[in-house]
Amino acid sequence: RAGDHDIREGGTMNGAMDIGAVALRAQQRALDTIANNVANVNTPTYKRVDTSFSEVMGRQIQPVSQAELLAARGLLPAGGVRFSPQEMLFQQGELRVTGNRLDLAIDGAGFIELLGPDGQLLLWRGGRLTLLDDGLLASDSGHALRANISVHDDATNLTIPADGVVKADLPETAGVELGQIALVRASAADDLERLDRGLYRPA
């Protein structure tokens, strides 16, 4: 009996240690998530991730004999707490006027479609547009718009109004339409994988 008692106590102690370790790991993951949110507080179009915790209960085993009861007390799975990262929060952020005609911001839901290096679809919430060497409009990460809008070398007064129609003045004509930047929506935030530099990829 003394031996059985020692085993049960040891199993209980190990279970308590396991619960503490599980809780510490959950807290560390939560701190990492919060630190990432804080580090990107000034990153344009960054969407923060919320955190939550859920309680994990030890599974209760119903022994059918005294021997099984003694054995089960040292083997009951530990409970504790589990960290559950929530989906990205896509609430509308603050819109700021930058004075740069090539800075874009989306007012409401939606994404701008980009083309990845291998032609895969990428989604972008906006930021600063740039011109590639071939004249294509692209994100600041260097990914061309899927709308395939090309700006001539001699184009001036490039404007992008709220409807997304890109216009520019050419030597012969003013206000020439070069293309339109359309918006697309994801069926759910869970369908998106976050990448670097404010980019997302459909899952």
Side-chain angles (χ1 to χ4, degrees):
R1 290 183 182 276
D4 291 341
H5 179 74
D6 291 341
I7 292 174
R8 292 200 305 273
E9 290 298 326
T12 302
M13 180 59 69
N14 289 336
M17 298 279 288
D18 290 341
I19 293 173
V22 169
L24 286 174
R25 285 195 295 269
Q27 288 288 352
Q28 182 60 55
R29 292 186 61 192
L31 287 175
D32 292 343
T33 301
I34 294 172
N36 190 50
N37 288 337
V38 172
N40 288 280
V41 68
N42 290 321
T43 301
T45 73
Y46 177 80
K47 298 302 179 184
R48 69 183 178 91
V49 177
D50 203 0
T51 61
S52 68
F53 295 93
S54 57
E55 186 176 0
V56 179
M57 301 298 294
R59 186 178 42 163
Q60 296 300 314
I61 301 174
Q62 298 297 330
V64 296
S65 67
Q66 184 67 19
E68 290 184 3
L69 174 62
L70 294 177
R73 286 184 178 176
L75 299 175
L76 282 175
V81 63
R82 177 172 55 205
F83 169 73
S84 302
Q86 301 298 299
E87 67 276 3
M88 290 172 285
L89 304 178
F90 277 94
Q91 285 90 350
Q92 178 65 47
E94 178 186 359
L95 299 180
R96 300 176 182 174
V97 178
T98 64
N100 187 337
R101 293 185 177 183
L102 292 182
D103 285 350
L104 296 180
I106 298 175
D107 187 6
F111 296 89
I112 298 171
E113 291 181 301
L114 305 176
L115 291 177
D118 300 323
Q120 72 269 33
L121 175 64
L122 300 177
L123 301 177
W124 186 48
R125 278 286 294 176
R128 176 157 295 186
L129 286 174
T130 60
L131 285 175
L132 300 180
D133 294 338
D134 54 6
L136 288 176
L137 275 178
S139 68
D140 55 359
S141 59
H143 298 95
L145 300 181
R146 192 180 183 192
N148 196 30
I149 300 174
S150 179
V151 179
H152 302 279
D153 293 336
D154 52 1
T156 58
N157 194 28
L158 186 68
T159 60
I160 307 174
D163 59 3
V165 176
V166 181
K167 298 180 180 180
D169 293 341
L170 299 180
E172 304 84 7
T173 312
V176 177
E177 293 188 7
L178 306 179
Q180 184 174 20
I181 302 174
L183 299 180
V184 297
R185 291 193 182 188
S187 57
D190 293 342
D191 295 336
L192 299 178
E193 175 188 357
R194 187 202 297 269
L195 305 177
D196 293 333
R197 307 193 67 173
L199 301 177
Y200 302 89
R201 179 168 52 203

